[in-house]
Amino acid sequence: MHPLHREHEGKGPTRGVAVREYIPDTVTIMMGMHIGAPSTPCVKKGDHVKVGQVIGEPVGFLGIPVHASVSGEVIDVGPVQSLGATPGTAVTIKNDFADEWVDDLEPLGSVETCPVEKIVPAIKNAGICGMGGASFPTHVKFAVKEGQSCDTIVLNGAECETHLTADHRLMLERSVRIVDGLRAAMRALDVKRGIIAIEDNKPDAIEAMRHAASGRAGVEVRPLKTKYPQGGEKQLIYVTTGREVPSGKLPLDVHVIVLNVGTAAAIADAVIDGRPLISRITTVTGCVKRPSNLLVRIGTMAADLIGECGGYSEEPGKVCMGGAMTGLPCPTDLVPVCKANNGVVVYSMKESETLEETPCIRCGRCVEACPIGLNPYKLKYLCDADDYEAAKKANVMDCIVCGCCSYICPAHRFLTPSFKNMKDKITARAKKG
């Protein structure tokens, strides 16, 4: 890849930085870190908890448990502002730094020989959801209904989003554990083919994963051309299998399940060691003094991560959870890391300037840029008019919120935010029945 293209990605400051662990004084763990109803707190202020203890019980079909990421005293249970429009319930724990784990973990041992029927329950009990951004409960992905089938599992190691190198470092430093997680998933679904897809701007990760996959039944590593948004689920399926997911359908409808490489590693931790999802690798970069890849406990505040990286290198204009294309701006830096937060990116005041939205000039660039083949300029009018039915008919729910249309628009139209808001509204209406 041309060196200038590498610089435009914003990955340079952390690409070669090994992961180091950071453990904070307190954690604030959200009960709603996944798609589905938030978990219900089952601890109260003053309780002592251990690492891995269930502090939030699952609710509904999409529910997953939430676990304590540190040991110590529960100092608050109540509303906390995170990335959502309204505050959500959270449990705050003061860390006693004893790092005392619960004693009822149920390790299954080798992913190649453990009882197949125990794999999916272990994944559910570990509270694992998609760690690449979607936060969909992983055990539900494995719920193959009658008439459906899966013949391929694709691991997403593309990490096409700008600035982020968390998955890159994971593939370098925990490559065998990723393959273990893939093999566990393959055995759980009796799938014979597993593909680990990695963009070709990560040759060292490709080499590491090929070495880890050597001799593992049905596992192959597939280098991909570096092209945004190559890591989108539907794009990944098409480029690795040649299958196209129809509008309104799911990957399973074309016999594929897609998992993030971080999710695969978490599956291995759950199956082999019986450990729930209580930490993840997060890239902290941008206007910080020491850009880093940190292994962080779930519930760590963004401000604490920035402090661990030396603090701000200049006056911040915006702090985002995620990269430049799909990241969400934080209301303050006092926002806790959730299971799908793969990056904290700080932008300077100049980088954070919001350009004024002007009328559409009907140039069609957004149509050309859309990887799904939507008509963003038309969708924008429908979303602005709150025309739910017309927006659904125009396939707004197929939008992958990649930001390509907003990026290319010469009129600086707020396209992607409008589509995300409409998708959220439609989803909320559907939940209400």
Side-chain angles (χ1 to χ4, degrees):
M1 188 177 188
H2 193 284
L4 288 178
H5 292 166
R6 293 174 71 96
E7 289 307 313
H8 286 313
E9 295 176 312
K11 298 176 184 282
T14 57
R15 183 184 289 109
V17 180
V19 177
R20 71 177 190 275
E21 187 173 23
Y22 170 67
I23 303 176
D25 293 330
T26 61
V27 291
T28 298
I29 304 172
M30 304 301 298
M31 294 292 102
M33 292 186 280
H34 58 281
I35 290 177
S39 302
T40 301
C42 55
V43 293
K44 62 184 184 301
K45 186 176 179 179
D47 285 353
H48 178 82
V49 297
K50 298 179 180 181
V51 184
Q53 179 178 330
V54 174
I55 59 173
E57 296 178 336
V59 176
F61 175 68
L62 294 175
I64 55 176
V66 177
H67 303 80
S69 59
V70 298
S71 58
E73 181 186 352
V74 175
I75 59 175
D76 192 30
V77 178
V80 170
Q81 182 64 56
S82 184
L83 293 177
T86 57
T89 302
V91 173
T92 301
I93 305 169
K94 182 175 177 57
N95 191 358
D96 62 8
F97 288 95
D99 217 31
E100 182 183 8
W101 276 81
V102 291
D103 52 13
D104 59 351
L105 299 180
E106 298 182 12
L108 300 180
S110 169
V111 298
E112 302 293 352
T113 58
C114 70
V116 171
E117 69 276 7
K118 292 187 176 181
I119 294 176
V120 173
I123 292 170
K124 180 178 181 179
N125 292 337
I128 300 173
C129 61
M131 295 174 67
S135 306
F136 194 85
T138 303
H139 73 279
V140 179
K141 278 194 174 184
F142 289 2
V144 180
K145 300 176 182 177
E146 185 176 350
Q148 293 180 321
S149 65
C150 176
D151 60 29
T152 305
I153 296 177
V154 178
L155 289 196
N156 185 354
E159 198 167 47
C160 61
E161 175 61 281
T162 67
H163 298 88
L164 308 183
T165 57
D167 287 349
H168 188 168
R169 295 309 310 181
L170 176 69
M171 289 186 285
L172 291 176
E173 300 180 36
R174 300 193 75 202
S175 53
V176 173
R177 191 66 30 146
I178 292 170
V179 177
D180 282 339
L182 173 57
R183 283 293 303 149
M186 292 170 66
R187 288 193 64 220
L189 292 171
D190 193 24
V191 168
K192 306 304 181 186
R193 181 167 71 153
I195 301 173
I196 305 171
I198 309 171
E199 285 195 327
D200 59 12
N201 61 352
K202 306 174 185 65
D204 50 354
I206 292 172
E207 181 181 356
M209 292 308 305
R210 277 180 169 160
H211 180 74
S214 178
R216 306 298 292 270
V219 178
E220 64 175 289
V221 176
R222 185 78 59 84
L224 307 179
K225 180 180 179 181
T226 300
K227 180 182 180 181
Y228 185 84
Q230 192 79 276
E233 191 171 60
K234 293 183 178 181
Q235 286 71 29
L236 205 62
I237 291 171
Y238 182 76
V239 76
T240 55
T241 69
R243 304 172 192 174
E244 188 170 346
V245 180
S247 175
K249 298 294 184 179
L250 298 172
L252 201 52
D253 292 308
V254 294
H255 317 295
V256 178
I257 287 176
V258 178
L259 302 171
N260 178 262
V261 289
T263 307
I267 289 173
D269 290 342
V271 173
I272 297 171
D273 302 320
R275 293 200 171 199
L277 178 54
I278 57 98
S279 63
R280 64 155 300 131
I281 299 173
T282 298
T283 300
V284 184
T285 189
C287 296
V288 296
K289 292 179 181 177
R290 185 161 59 129
S292 305
N293 290 300
L294 301 178
L295 177 62
V296 306
R297 302 297 174 96
I298 302 302
T300 303
M301 289 291 180
D304 289 335
L305 297 182
I306 293 166
E308 170 64 14
C309 294
Y312 298 111
S313 58
E314 58 182 284
E315 185 179 0
K318 182 165 58 178
V319 176
C320 280
M321 290 291 193
M325 299 299 286
T326 61
L328 297 175
C330 302
T332 72
D333 58 9
L334 296 176
V335 169
V337 168
C338 293
K339 294 176 180 179
N341 292 147
N342 47 10
V344 175
V345 183
V346 182
Y347 298 94
S348 67
M349 291 296 292
K350 182 178 180 180
E351 291 171 324
S352 303
E353 291 177 356
T354 302
L355 298 173
E356 183 179 353
E357 185 180 37
T358 60
C360 175
I361 62 173
R362 296 180 181 254
C363 65
R365 293 183 190 177
C366 60
V367 179
E368 293 177 355
C370 180
I372 301 297
L374 303 178
N375 291 315
Y377 75 90
K378 176 182 178 182
L379 277 175
K380 171 69 167 156
Y381 288 119
L382 299 177
C383 292
D384 286 350
D386 264 350
D387 194 334
Y388 294 81
E389 294 305 318
K392 285 174 62 176
K393 191 173 181 179
N395 300 316
V396 70
M397 297 305 290
D398 286 344
C399 172
I400 62 173
V401 200
C402 65
C404 288
C405 55
S406 293
Y407 180 84
I408 201 69
C409 178
H412 313 304
R413 303 285 285 166
F414 302 153
L415 300 169
T416 305
S418 296
F419 307 152
K420 183 182 186 306
N421 288 339
M422 178 57 78
K423 284 164 63 78
D424 290 346
K425 289 178 181 178
I426 291 173
T427 300
R429 284 163 65 98
K431 286 182 179 179
K432 290 179 180 179

